[in-house]
Amino acid sequence: MSFFDCTICGNSHKLITLLEFPQPDIISKITSGQVDVSLDIFGKNSFVINRETTVIQPLLSIPIIDFEDSFDLFIWVKIEKEEYLSKLEKLRETDFQKLNMKGVLIDPIPFFSGTDNLGIEVEVDEKEKNHLFSIVKIQKEIELKSFLKNGISKKELAIILSPLYH
Protein backbone atom coordinates (compact mmCIF):
# COMPACT_ATOMS: atom_id res chain seq x y z
CA MET A 1 0.00 0.00 0.00
CA SER A 2 1.32 3.42 -0.92
CA PHE A 3 0.57 6.83 0.56
CA PHE A 4 0.95 10.47 -0.40
CA ASP A 5 1.26 13.70 1.56
CA CYS A 6 -1.98 15.66 1.29
CA THR A 7 -1.63 19.12 -0.23
CA ILE A 8 -4.55 20.35 1.90
CA CYS A 9 -3.96 19.05 5.44
CA GLY A 10 -0.41 17.70 5.24
CA ASN A 11 -1.43 14.26 6.54
CA SER A 12 -0.61 11.02 4.80
CA HIS A 13 -3.45 9.44 2.81
CA LYS A 14 -3.75 6.20 0.86
CA LEU A 15 -2.80 6.63 -2.80
CA ILE A 16 -5.87 5.86 -4.91
CA THR A 17 -5.10 4.63 -8.41
CA LEU A 18 -8.60 3.60 -9.50
CA LEU A 19 -11.70 5.79 -9.65
CA GLU A 20 -15.05 4.79 -11.12
CA PHE A 21 -17.50 7.58 -11.87
CA PRO A 22 -21.20 6.91 -11.21
CA GLN A 23 -23.69 6.33 -14.01
CA PRO A 24 -24.57 9.52 -15.84
CA ASP A 25 -27.94 11.14 -15.11
CA ILE A 26 -29.28 10.15 -18.51
CA ILE A 27 -28.97 6.44 -17.63
CA SER A 28 -30.12 6.82 -14.02
CA LYS A 29 -33.23 8.75 -15.06
CA ILE A 30 -34.18 6.03 -17.54
CA THR A 31 -33.60 3.15 -15.11
CA SER A 32 -35.56 4.95 -12.36
CA GLY A 33 -38.52 5.59 -14.70
CA GLN A 34 -38.16 9.39 -14.68
CA VAL A 35 -37.56 9.39 -18.43
CA ASP A 36 -39.58 7.11 -20.69
CA VAL A 37 -37.29 5.94 -23.49
CA SER A 38 -35.93 2.54 -24.46
CA LEU A 39 -32.69 1.37 -22.91
CA ASP A 40 -30.88 -1.70 -24.21
CA ILE A 41 -27.97 -3.20 -22.29
CA PHE A 42 -25.31 -4.90 -24.42
CA GLY A 43 -22.52 -5.39 -21.90
CA LYS A 44 -21.32 -4.34 -18.49
CA ASN A 45 -21.93 -0.59 -18.26
CA SER A 46 -22.78 -0.42 -21.97
CA PHE A 47 -26.15 0.89 -23.11
CA VAL A 48 -28.06 2.00 -26.19
CA ILE A 49 -30.64 4.74 -25.66
CA ASN A 50 -33.61 4.78 -28.08
CA ARG A 51 -31.49 2.88 -30.60
CA GLU A 52 -29.71 6.18 -31.25
CA THR A 53 -26.96 6.82 -28.72
CA THR A 54 -24.49 4.34 -27.30
CA VAL A 55 -23.30 5.05 -23.76
CA ILE A 56 -20.26 3.17 -22.51
CA GLN A 57 -17.86 3.32 -19.58
CA PRO A 58 -14.33 3.15 -21.00
CA LEU A 59 -11.08 3.13 -19.09
CA LEU A 60 -8.86 6.19 -19.16
CA SER A 61 -5.49 4.89 -17.98
CA ILE A 62 -2.83 7.49 -17.20
CA PRO A 63 0.69 6.19 -16.50
CA ILE A 64 2.24 7.29 -13.21
CA ILE A 65 5.85 7.95 -14.18
CA ASP A 66 7.40 7.46 -10.74
CA PHE A 67 5.18 4.65 -9.46
CA GLU A 68 4.55 1.05 -10.53
CA ASP A 69 0.84 1.56 -11.23
CA SER A 70 -1.32 3.75 -13.46
CA PHE A 71 -4.09 6.19 -12.53
CA ASP A 72 -7.20 4.51 -13.93
CA LEU A 73 -10.50 6.31 -14.38
CA PHE A 74 -13.71 4.65 -15.53
CA ILE A 75 -15.61 7.54 -17.12
CA TRP A 76 -18.74 7.75 -19.30
CA VAL A 77 -18.80 8.43 -23.03
CA LYS A 78 -21.55 8.71 -25.61
CA ILE A 79 -21.12 7.59 -29.19
CA GLU A 80 -23.65 8.51 -31.85
CA LYS A 81 -25.43 5.76 -33.77
CA GLU A 82 -23.79 6.37 -37.16
CA GLU A 83 -20.27 6.26 -35.73
CA TYR A 84 -20.93 3.14 -33.68
CA LEU A 85 -22.69 1.18 -36.44
CA SER A 86 -20.20 2.12 -39.14
CA LYS A 87 -17.26 1.01 -37.00
CA LEU A 88 -18.96 -2.26 -36.02
CA GLU A 89 -19.62 -2.94 -39.69
CA LYS A 90 -15.96 -2.24 -40.47
CA LEU A 91 -14.94 -4.77 -37.81
CA ARG A 92 -17.19 -7.40 -39.38
CA GLU A 93 -15.99 -6.74 -42.94
CA THR A 94 -12.26 -6.67 -42.26
CA ASP A 95 -9.63 -8.61 -40.42
CA PHE A 96 -9.23 -5.79 -37.91
CA GLN A 97 -9.62 -6.83 -34.30
CA LYS A 98 -9.29 -3.32 -32.90
CA LEU A 99 -10.46 0.06 -34.08
CA ASN A 100 -11.22 3.51 -32.72
CA MET A 101 -14.61 5.18 -32.36
CA LYS A 102 -15.14 8.89 -31.79
CA GLY A 103 -17.24 9.89 -28.82
CA VAL A 104 -17.86 12.66 -26.32
CA LEU A 105 -17.34 12.64 -22.58
CA ILE A 106 -20.77 12.85 -20.93
CA ASP A 107 -19.74 14.53 -17.66
CA PRO A 108 -16.56 16.55 -17.16
CA ILE A 109 -13.80 15.08 -15.04
CA PRO A 110 -13.84 17.41 -12.03
CA PHE A 111 -10.09 17.57 -11.47
CA PHE A 112 -9.08 18.15 -15.12
CA SER A 113 -9.98 21.48 -16.72
CA GLY A 114 -11.30 21.61 -20.28
CA THR A 115 -13.15 18.29 -20.14
CA ASP A 116 -16.69 19.66 -20.77
CA ASN A 117 -18.04 17.89 -23.88
CA LEU A 118 -14.54 16.59 -24.54
CA GLY A 119 -14.10 14.71 -27.82
CA ILE A 120 -12.21 11.46 -27.39
CA GLU A 121 -11.45 8.26 -29.25
CA VAL A 122 -12.28 4.93 -27.69
CA GLU A 123 -10.54 1.73 -28.73
CA VAL A 124 -12.82 -1.23 -29.32
CA ASP A 125 -11.12 -4.61 -29.09
CA GLU A 126 -13.22 -7.40 -30.58
CA LYS A 127 -11.33 -10.02 -28.56
CA GLU A 128 -11.89 -8.27 -25.23
CA LYS A 129 -14.27 -10.64 -23.45
CA ASN A 130 -15.21 -8.17 -20.69
CA HIS A 131 -16.32 -5.50 -23.19
CA LEU A 132 -13.67 -3.18 -21.79
CA PHE A 133 -13.17 -0.08 -23.90
CA SER A 134 -10.09 2.12 -23.57
CA ILE A 135 -9.65 5.81 -24.28
CA VAL A 136 -6.69 6.19 -26.58
CA LYS A 137 -6.92 9.77 -27.85
CA ILE A 138 -8.13 13.14 -26.62
CA GLN A 139 -9.19 15.63 -29.29
CA LYS A 140 -8.39 18.89 -27.48
CA GLU A 141 -5.01 20.27 -26.41
CA ILE A 142 -5.47 20.19 -22.63
CA GLU A 143 -3.39 19.00 -19.69
CA LEU A 144 -5.21 15.64 -19.66
CA LYS A 145 -4.03 14.93 -23.22
CA SER A 146 -0.43 15.45 -22.10
CA PHE A 147 -0.95 13.20 -19.06
CA LEU A 148 -2.40 10.44 -21.26
CA LYS A 149 0.62 10.61 -23.56
CA ASN A 150 3.46 11.35 -21.12
CA GLY A 151 2.16 10.21 -17.75
CA ILE A 152 1.64 11.96 -14.45
CA SER A 153 3.95 12.21 -11.46
CA LYS A 154 2.99 10.97 -8.01
CA LYS A 155 3.22 14.59 -6.82
CA GLU A 156 0.77 15.76 -9.53
CA LEU A 157 -1.53 12.90 -8.56
CA ALA A 158 -1.39 14.04 -4.91
CA ILE A 159 -2.74 17.44 -6.02
CA ILE A 160 -5.64 15.68 -7.78
CA LEU A 161 -6.42 13.27 -4.94
CA SER A 162 -6.09 15.62 -1.95
CA PRO A 163 -9.56 17.23 -2.34
CA LEU A 164 -11.16 13.76 -2.47
CA TYR A 165 -10.20 13.24 1.18
CA HIS A 166 -11.74 16.53 2.39
Side-chain angles (χ1 to χ4, degrees), residues 112-124:
F112 292 120
S113 63
T115 58
D116 289 347
N117 296 309
L118 181 63
I120 51 91
E121 286 186 27
V122 177
E123 182 181 81
V124 177

Side-chain angles (χ1 to χ4, degrees), residues 1-9 11-17 19 157-158 160-166:
M1 185 177 302
S2 188
F3 295 87
F4 70 95
D5 293 329
C6 182
T7 61
I8 295 174
C9 68
N11 291 332
S12 186
H13 298 298
K14 182 181 174 193
L15 183 69
I16 299 169
T17 58
L19 291 175
L157 185 55
I160 291 169
L161 294 177
S162 290
L164 299 179
Y165 283 93
H166 299 278

Side-chain angles (χ1 to χ4, degrees), residues 41-72:
I41 301 170
F42 67 92
K44 182 180 185 238
N45 292 332
S46 303
F47 308 91
V48 178
I49 301 170
N50 268 353
R51 294 190 161 89
E52 291 295 321
T53 304
T54 301
V55 175
I56 59 173
Q57 189 182 39
L59 173 65
L60 173 60
S61 188
I62 301 170
I64 304 172
I65 54 179
D66 50 355
F67 190 64
E68 66 273 1
D69 207 349
S70 57
F71 183 43
D72 294 334

Side-chain angles (χ1 to χ4, degrees), residues 59-60 99-100 120-123 134-138 148:
L59 173 65
L60 173 60
L99 55 79
N100 294 353
I120 51 91
E121 286 186 27
V122 177
E123 182 181 81
S134 298
I135 293 180
V136 292
K137 189 173 182 182
I138 294 175
L148 183 62

Side-chain angles (χ1 to χ4, degrees), residues 20-84:
E20 185 171 348
F21 288 86
Q23 279 185 351
D25 284 346
I26 189 158
I27 300 297
S28 299
K29 287 179 179 179
I30 296 169
T31 58
S32 69
Q34 294 175 4
V35 176
D36 187 25
V37 296
S38 70
L39 183 69
D40 297 311
I41 301 170
F42 67 92
K44 182 180 185 238
N45 292 332
S46 303
F47 308 91
V48 178
I49 301 170
N50 268 353
R51 294 190 161 89
E52 291 295 321
T53 304
T54 301
V55 175
I56 59 173
Q57 189 182 39
L59 173 65
L60 173 60
S61 188
I62 301 170
I64 304 172
I65 54 179
D66 50 355
F67 190 64
E68 66 273 1
D69 207 349
S70 57
F71 183 43
D72 294 334
L73 305 168
F74 282 99
I75 57 178
W76 291 91
V77 171
K78 64 181 175 181
I79 301 171
E80 295 305 321
K81 178 181 179 178
E82 297 78 22
E83 174 74 0
Y84 190 79

Side-chain angles (χ1 to χ4, degrees), residues 77-139:
V77 171
K78 64 181 175 181
I79 301 171
E80 295 305 321
K81 178 181 179 178
E82 297 78 22
E83 174 74 0
Y84 190 79
L85 292 177
S86 69
K87 296 299 171 91
L88 282 183
E89 187 63 29
K90 190 172 186 176
L91 268 177
R92 290 184 187 115
E93 292 176 352
T94 64
D95 289 336
F96 295 134
Q97 294 170 4
K98 293 181 183 181
L99 55 79
N100 294 353
M101 292 184 189
K102 292 182 179 178
V104 175
L105 200 62
I106 294 176
D107 294 316
I109 302 171
F111 36 82
F112 292 120
S113 63
T115 58
D116 289 347
N117 296 309
L118 181 63
I120 51 91
E121 286 186 27
V122 177
E123 182 181 81
V124 177
D125 184 347
E126 188 179 70
K127 291 191 173 203
E128 174 60 53
K129 291 176 178 37
N130 296 323
H131 296 283
L132 181 64
F133 303 96
S134 298
I135 293 180
V136 292
K137 189 173 182 182
I138 294 175
Q139 302 295 332

